[in-house]
Amino acid sequence: MALSFLRALGGFLLAAFLFVAWAAQAQAVPNPGENIAFLVTFGSQADKSWGDDDFTQTFFFLVPKENRQPVYIRVFDPDCGGQYDEAKFGWNTTTEFSLYGGAGTHSAPDARATEPKGQFRAGTLLKQARFGAEKTYDNQWYTFGPLNPLEGEFVKEFDGYVFKLIAQGKAGDDGNLYRYFLSTSPTQNVPVEGGNAFTYEYSFRLSPQKRAKTHLYPFVNDQVVSIKQSNFDVDGDVGLKIFSVAKNGHSAKVSDDNVWASSTHQIAEKEHGLSLDLQLTSLTKATNDLVFYVTDQYAVALPFFAIPLGGPPRYRYEVDVKIRK
């Protein structure tokens, strides 16, 4: 009994150590645990069949309320025309990155919608930058900041201050591939203790490796009864299953080229207050850009966190033991 307990304890401590080590570097967006190649935003004249439904992507960055030190939001490879980006008919794309803070940044309903409409830019514009095909920031970092955490909007639900960064393809038809990092340094990627990042609609490129597994972590609050996962332009060459403390690989529907697909799944009480794991398995080595979002039973979008709240979910087996008399 003692040996079994020690083994179990050792396994728990190892898992906790690995999660802490992983979380420490997970303020990269996408984070290493997700296994996503890049975020992607196409120019506004692009064909949607290339994998971007609205040419806009919104990310929120969460700074714990206890933090009073300046923070920086860094963008890797913000230009569109170099080593990583996707050319179509010659480099002609301009991407605009807009940073917001203050009232309405997150609390405005349109800010959390899955389409860029209405007041999705609510808040105070802190800084804006546009990038074309110039080489200055190709394979380099551009930094927003320093930012006083109090310039963000306080969100009680997440117990911290939130900034919003919107990437929008303003012109052209190429694909801009980029990454983010929430940092305490303007020149290096140094994680903000307790920080996080999240989005309500995820546009990204899969890792171009056959059998590669990608993880998306939507958070389920205690009001969620069911979820509807929706995906666009998966091209039918990816398998999708849902894992959680209550689900051990439930199959979910994936879309074909240039169309949406969705499926609805019930949520168990034990899944409340935790993240799900939408696990995608690539069936080919083909390059694939796609879009995902998840809504609850009221069609309200749920956030995908870079660091899954509650940690990466693990299925909990339930053993039904009956004693014969």
Side-chain angles (χ1 to χ4, degrees):
M1 178 68 71
L3 182 58
S4 298
F5 172 77
L6 289 174
R7 286 175 176 170
L9 179 62
F12 172 80
L13 292 174
L14 176 60
F17 171 79
L18 291 175
F19 173 67
V20 169
W22 171 75
Q25 57 180 321
Q27 286 172 56
V29 181
N31 76 56
E34 292 173 295
N35 192 31
I36 290 172
F38 284 94
L39 305 178
V40 62
T41 299
F42 277 81
S44 57
Q45 279 78 52
D47 190 324
K48 292 184 179 181
S49 67
W50 295 332
D52 190 348
D53 68 314
D54 56 25
F55 318 123
T56 304
Q57 178 149 224
T58 301
F59 256 90
F60 298 89
F61 294 85
L62 174 64
V63 181
K65 66 179 181 182
E66 296 82 7
N67 187 86
R68 290 294 183 269
Q69 301 302 312
V71 298
Y72 303 82
I73 299 174
R74 311 190 71 216
V75 188
F76 176 72
D77 196 57
D79 75 302
C80 187
Q83 180 176 350
Y84 301 108
D85 303 308
E86 182 175 342
K88 290 302 178 184
F89 305 106
W91 298 115
N92 63 359
T93 295
T94 300
T95 309
E96 180 183 81
F97 293 85
S98 305
L99 179 66
Y100 296 84
T105 293
H106 179 268
S107 59
D110 289 340
R112 305 189 304 275
T114 59
E115 297 181 17
K117 61 182 182 180
Q119 301 299 312
F120 78 103
R121 291 182 178 272
T124 300
L125 179 63
L126 301 177
K127 190 171 182 180
Q128 194 172 69
R130 286 194 177 194
F131 302 89
E134 64 274 8
K135 296 182 179 181
T136 305
Y137 289 102
D138 181 43
N139 200 28
Q140 302 295 323
W141 290 89
Y142 176 85
T143 300
F144 288 95
L147 303 171
N148 181 342
L150 298 180
E151 291 182 275
E153 179 180 35
F154 183 73
V155 179
K156 184 177 180 181
E157 178 185 1
F158 302 139
D159 203 30
Y161 291 88
V162 171
F163 294 90
K164 175 172 61 187
L165 187 53
I166 299 175
Q168 187 170 48
K170 304 300 288 187
D173 56 11
D174 310 301
N176 191 348
L177 282 84
Y178 56 96
R179 301 184 184 124
Y180 295 136
F181 202 102
L182 178 62
S183 179
T184 61
S185 167
T187 58
Q188 298 181 28
N189 293 332
V190 182
V192 175
E193 186 176 355
N196 213 331
F198 58 96
T199 185
Y200 291 91
E201 185 186 57
Y202 217 152
S203 301
F204 59 92
R205 170 166 290 185
L206 289 172
S207 296
Q209 299 174 348
K210 189 174 182 179
R211 309 307 299 176
K213 292 188 182 300
T214 297
H215 304 269
L216 305 179
Y217 296 112
F219 176 71
V220 175
N221 63 50
D222 59 7
Q223 303 300 312
V224 178
V225 174
S226 64
I227 64 164
K228 180 180 180 181
Q229 67 82 22
S230 299
N231 55 79
F232 175 75
D233 197 49
V234 176
D235 296 336
D237 59 2
V238 174
L240 173 60
K241 292 188 176 181
I242 302 176
F243 292 83
S244 73
V245 294
K247 294 178 175 62
N248 192 23
H250 288 205
S251 295
K253 189 174 182 180
V254 296
S255 56
D256 291 318
D257 180 55
N258 199 29
V259 295
W260 285 94
S262 61
S263 56
T264 300
H265 307 266
Q266 297 301 305
I267 293 297
E269 186 175 352
K270 68 173 71 173
E271 294 172 298
H272 287 163
L274 298 170
S275 296
L276 306 176
D277 179 1
L278 275 62
Q279 189 174 121
L280 296 84
T281 302
S282 300
L283 304 180
T284 71
K285 294 182 179 180
T287 298
N288 196 352
D289 301 322
L290 52 138
V291 180
F292 259 85
Y293 68 84
V294 174
T295 53
D296 66 12
Q297 68 273 16
Y298 300 113
V300 174
L302 303 180
F304 296 92
F305 277 88
I307 305 173
L309 302 191
R314 296 290 181 265
Y315 179 67
R316 299 173 186 170
Y317 291 90
E318 293 184 351
V319 179
D320 186 10
V321 178
K322 295 181 180 180
I323 300 176
R324 292 184 179 181
K325 293 183 178 180

